[in-house]
Amino acid sequence: MQLFGIKTQLIRPGDDMAGILIESLCSAGLNLKDNDIIVLAESAVATAEGRVIKLDSVKPSKKAIELSKLYKNDPRKMELIIRESDEILGGIPGVVVTITKGVLSPSAGIDNSNAPDGHVVLLPADPKKSAIEMRKKLMKKYNCNIAVIVGDSRTQPLRFGCVGIALGCAGIEPVEDIRGQKDLFGKPLLITRRATADNLVSAAQIIMGEADESTPAVLIRMLLQYS
């Protein structure tokens, strides 16, 4: 496996992210090949799709004001969390635990980091659709079969630190079912499914970073085929 960080210009709302990515690949002397995998940071994808919200434009509801006091949160951000969440499970001061797009997410995945002052970035509206569209554009440009993953970093309960999670995929099976394979002693695996896409996002996160690295995409080159 080889990983190449793809540095880009600052992504802004309305930008053509595919075009920026292609230009950045060219500047880095990289061309895409069959079986390559592109991992994209969800915040960059969401920003290009216009999912950046100015907090002053949000009017908090009565429920948002009440919950903001309980979880020590900005009531305007709390309003967005309510709108974006499937369900609010609880939380601690500063963090609301939610189910968002069917996934356990802190504060509905709404991010203050990598957003202009006074703004927040929501998750992409449809990460799978975003991955599909990006894959089509890149495959048309490079005339090869690739996979695209839109990923995010998340904390885990009772664990310090962030790991990667795939929000949407195209051209790759996100979970590999290895039930029935034998272990070292010949016993069949009964419940094991390998979270392939999540693991690839975790690998990419090491290069992407969480701060001002300006690396919203990583090219993963490996000898495995995905379809």
Side-chain angles (χ1 to χ4, degrees), residues 18-83:
I20 291 173
L21 190 58
I22 290 167
E23 182 179 331
S24 298
L25 283 165
C26 181
S27 297
L30 294 169
N31 284 305
L32 298 187
K33 303 177 181 180
D34 284 335
N35 305 320
D36 281 350
I37 302 165
I38 293 289
V39 179
L40 301 173
E42 58 80 20
S43 58
V45 174
T47 296
E49 294 176 352
R51 299 275 286 168
V52 180
I53 304 296
K54 185 176 182 180
L55 287 174
D56 283 346
S57 69
V58 179
K59 182 178 180 179
S61 62
K62 182 179 179 180
K63 181 179 180 181
I65 294 171
E66 292 173 352
L67 289 178
S68 69
K69 293 176 182 177
L70 179 62
Y71 299 122
K72 310 299 182 190
N73 217 331
D74 186 312
R76 301 166 299 178
K77 183 177 178 181
M78 191 69 238
E79 176 62 30
L80 293 173
I81 292 171
I82 293 171
R83 295 178 191 176

Side-chain angles (χ1 to χ4, degrees), residues 133-151:
E133 291 179 350
M134 179 63 75
R135 180 175 182 247
K136 287 180 179 178
K137 292 176 181 178
L138 293 178
M139 291 204 313
K140 181 178 180 180
K141 168 65 178 178
Y142 293 99
N143 192 30
C144 60
N145 184 40
I146 67 166
V148 173
I149 305 172
V150 176

